[in-house]
Amino acid sequence: MTSMLSRAIAHYPNPFDPGVLSELPEHLQKTIQRRNRVLGPGYTLIYKEPVEFVSGHGAHLIDRDGNDYLDAYNNVPCVGHAHPHVAEAVARQMTRVNTNTRYVQEALVDYAERLLATFPEELSRLSIACSGSEANDLAMRVARFHTGGEGIIVTRWAYHGLTREVASFSPTLGAGSPLGPNVRLIDAPDPRLVAPGSTLADHMRRQVRGAIDDLERHGYRLAALITDCAHSSDGIFTDPPGYMRAVVEEVHAAGGVYIADEVQSGFARLGESMWGFSRHDVLPDIVTMGKPMGNGMPISGVVFRPEVSEEFGRNVRYFNTFGGSSIPVAAGAAVLDVLERENVQQRVLECGDALRVGLREITKDSPYVSEVRGAGLYVGVEIVMDRETLEPHRALAEDVINDMRDRRILINGTGRWANTLKIRPPLAFDSADVTRFLETFAEVAKNRL
């Protein structure tokens, strides 16, 4: 059958192909046809057979027929789908008031103080927006104002958002969304790229130094290096910790700032600490966060070192009608409550370790699995043609993803060739969920890997 995938989504991990719409159950067909008639351009469904959910709890989603799916993919409901404490806090605030930051809100100040207390003391100013894209847009505006530079460094397949500005330094969006002339790409921190006798820190330092030199050669002073602390879109590269110190040294030596994009790696996702950058013992100049901070409510944040942001604040007005409004702030505060009361970080450590150990045992003899990597509850399983050449095997990765979906477990793909399985569940994922996941994955691996 001829594929009907558009250029825009052809490289998106595991996209639904509209060319097979007629093969779907009748109700799905009709809903998708209605969706296509009314929604704007660029939307993407995933899985060979898309799925519709009507409710959720913890790390579980329920479809319209009552089937329970284990969600090992969605990071936005950070502390779990429909968490009762978050839902109650939002509902309670909706019955009271929803005002913005032009009015005094003690709850906003309380929340800012609690959130900032999780950061190093040097990072002590918080601005609130609605999405990770908005957060990264503001972070880059401040970086440019502070440094007087325009140059931006990102990893080769990074994703930082969808605004026009942020899309210009999000290479994973593809050819239809060109990079800015002021953007330079460096390797993701893949230890396999390191030359014999060298170290990952040295390799990354050389990459950054070369990017800075090339920017300067073309008349661009460095404004910022921005990295996702899990390198999620590059294929999930979290280890070994420590290499970022050399990177940050080079950035600061060139007069730039380091922006830590914690949209996907923050809020204890990587297990060892609240924030991904902490694993590297570095101090960012700016940190960005996204919708996991409100468990899916539209709230995001930017945390600054004051010396980086104060001059911007004196000269440029920043206001966001919904950023910092009462209802999303209530959700954010409730998420912090859950992280503390349920000892979420410890659960992430224990379940993440068990998940990776189990996956490595299942795939240890597979000629198609080159690595199981990650930290906490962010895990990548790289699928290849063979372990020697490391040639990507996207088709096999998509077969595994869709076999898991057929067995009611949700994962997806990532990386330049979408051949790395992305396992990134809500942090409500518990030991019983780990067992169910591994038992199901073992069945799929027996047939596919």
Side-chain angles (χ1 to χ4, degrees):
M1 182 171 291
T2 302
S3 172
M4 293 179 62
L5 290 175
S6 70
R7 176 189 178 196
I9 66 170
H11 295 290
Y12 189 84
N14 189 40
F16 168 65
D17 187 346
V20 301
L21 180 63
S22 62
E23 300 175 15
L24 298 182
E26 184 177 358
H27 176 78
L28 266 183
Q29 283 189 51
K30 290 181 177 179
T31 303
I32 293 171
Q33 287 167 346
R34 290 169 58 203
R35 167 190 165 109
N36 291 341
R37 283 195 295 269
V38 297
L39 295 188
Y43 286 100
T44 306
L45 291 166
I46 57 174
Y47 301 114
K48 289 181 180 178
E49 182 177 332
V51 59
E52 177 185 7
F53 298 113
V54 297
S55 66
H57 59 89
H60 298 258
L61 287 165
I62 311 301
D63 72 10
R64 63 185 296 110
D65 296 319
N67 298 308
D68 180 303
Y69 286 71
L70 179 59
D71 183 2
Y73 174 59
N74 290 294
N75 67 319
V76 174
C78 175
V79 295
H81 292 282
H83 195 288
H85 181 67
V86 180
E88 193 276 332
V90 170
R92 183 174 62 248
Q93 189 62 48
M94 288 181 72
T95 67
R96 294 179 176 175
V97 69
N98 190 31
T99 58
N100 58 55
T101 54
R102 289 195 174 111
Y103 301 95
V104 177
Q105 299 179 61
E106 186 176 11
L108 170 61
V109 178
D110 290 343
Y111 174 64
E113 290 174 343
R114 289 181 66 193
L115 184 63
L116 288 170
T118 69
F119 287 89
E121 62 181 10
E122 295 91 340
L123 288 158
S124 60
R125 296 291 185 274
L126 171 67
S127 293
I128 300 182
C130 299
S131 70
S133 296
E134 286 187 357
N136 283 327
D137 192 287
L138 175 61
M140 198 57 71
R141 284 182 67 192
V142 173
R144 284 171 156 164
F145 191 96
H146 176 69
T147 63
E150 292 287 327
I152 300 170
I153 301 174
V154 296
T155 50
R156 295 197 188 282
W157 205 241
Y159 173 75
H160 295 290
L162 286 168
T163 67
R164 180 174 180 177
E165 164 67 18
V166 181
S168 76
F169 55 88
S170 292
T172 193
L173 294 175
S177 183
L179 300 178
N182 59 320
V183 176
R184 295 297 181 274
L185 307 182
I186 61 171
D187 292 338
D190 183 349
R192 297 170 299 184
L193 300 177
V194 178
S198 187
T199 66
L200 183 59
D202 288 340
H203 173 75
M204 296 304 293
R205 184 192 292 273
R206 284 193 295 270
Q207 290 279 309
V208 172
R209 184 67 258 168
I212 292 169
D213 289 345
D214 193 59
L215 284 167
E216 292 177 348
R217 192 159 45 244
H218 289 84
Y220 295 108
R221 180 180 177 183
L222 180 65
L225 172 134
I226 178 168
T227 63
D228 161 12
C229 295
H231 297 279
S232 312
S233 297
D234 289 288
I236 308 174
F237 295 96
T238 58
D239 294 300
Y243 69 86
M244 279 300 299
R245 288 194 296 273
V247 169
V248 175
E249 286 173 4
E250 289 296 329
V251 169
H252 285 164
V257 300
Y258 164 45
I259 303 171
D261 182 338
E262 294 278 357
V263 171
Q264 298 204 55
S265 59
F267 292 93
R269 164 66 56 183
L270 302 186
E272 297 165 42
S273 57
M274 184 71 160
W275 306 110
F277 67 81
S278 299
R279 301 176 72 244
H280 297 282
D281 193 27
V282 294
L283 178 67
D285 301 288
I286 305 173
V287 180
T288 59
M289 299 158 284
K291 285 182 285 293
M293 70 191 291
N295 215 48
M297 287 295 290
I299 181 172
S300 64
V302 189
V303 174
F304 302 97
R305 290 196 298 115
E307 55 269 38
V308 171
S309 63
E310 284 181 352
E311 189 66 21
F312 177 88
R314 282 192 289 266
N315 289 274
V316 180
R317 186 180 68 164
Y318 177 75
F319 174 72
N320 188 314
T321 303
F322 299 111
S325 61
S326 312
I327 292 171
V329 165
V335 166
L336 293 182
D337 292 341
V338 175
L339 290 170
E340 295 165 4
R341 295 173 186 177
E342 297 185 7
N343 197 13
V344 168
Q345 186 174 327
Q346 185 61 33
R347 180 169 67 217
V348 170
L349 269 174
E350 294 172 359
C351 291
D353 287 347
L355 185 60
R356 290 191 303 281
V357 168
L359 287 168
R360 286 173 180 141
E361 178 63 25
I362 291 168
T363 61
K364 65 181 180 181
D365 296 323
S366 172
Y368 303 113
V369 176
S370 63
E371 278 192 327
V372 174
R373 53 182 180 257
L377 284 175
Y378 212 144
V379 182
V381 181
E382 187 173 355
I383 309 299
V384 294
M385 296 287 189
D386 68 71
R387 287 181 170 180
E388 295 300 317
T389 67
L390 300 181
E391 184 179 352
H393 202 332
R394 175 174 179 164
L396 180 56
E398 291 192 348
D399 285 340
V400 172
I401 291 166
N402 285 286
D403 283 0
M404 293 289 282
R405 175 256 179 269
D406 291 344
R407 290 166 173 79
R408 300 185 183 134
I409 293 185
L410 307 178
I411 60 175
N412 206 359
T414 187
R416 173 65 181 86
W417 305 107
N419 67 305
T420 297
L421 308 181
K422 183 197 298 187
I423 303 165
R424 182 196 57 181
L427 302 186
F429 206 75
D430 61 20
S431 58
D433 297 328
V434 172
T435 298
R436 176 179 169 184
F437 185 96
L438 291 174
E439 289 176 350
T440 304
F441 189 85
E443 294 175 7
V444 172
K446 184 177 180 180
N447 295 328
R448 295 288 188 181
L449 301 176

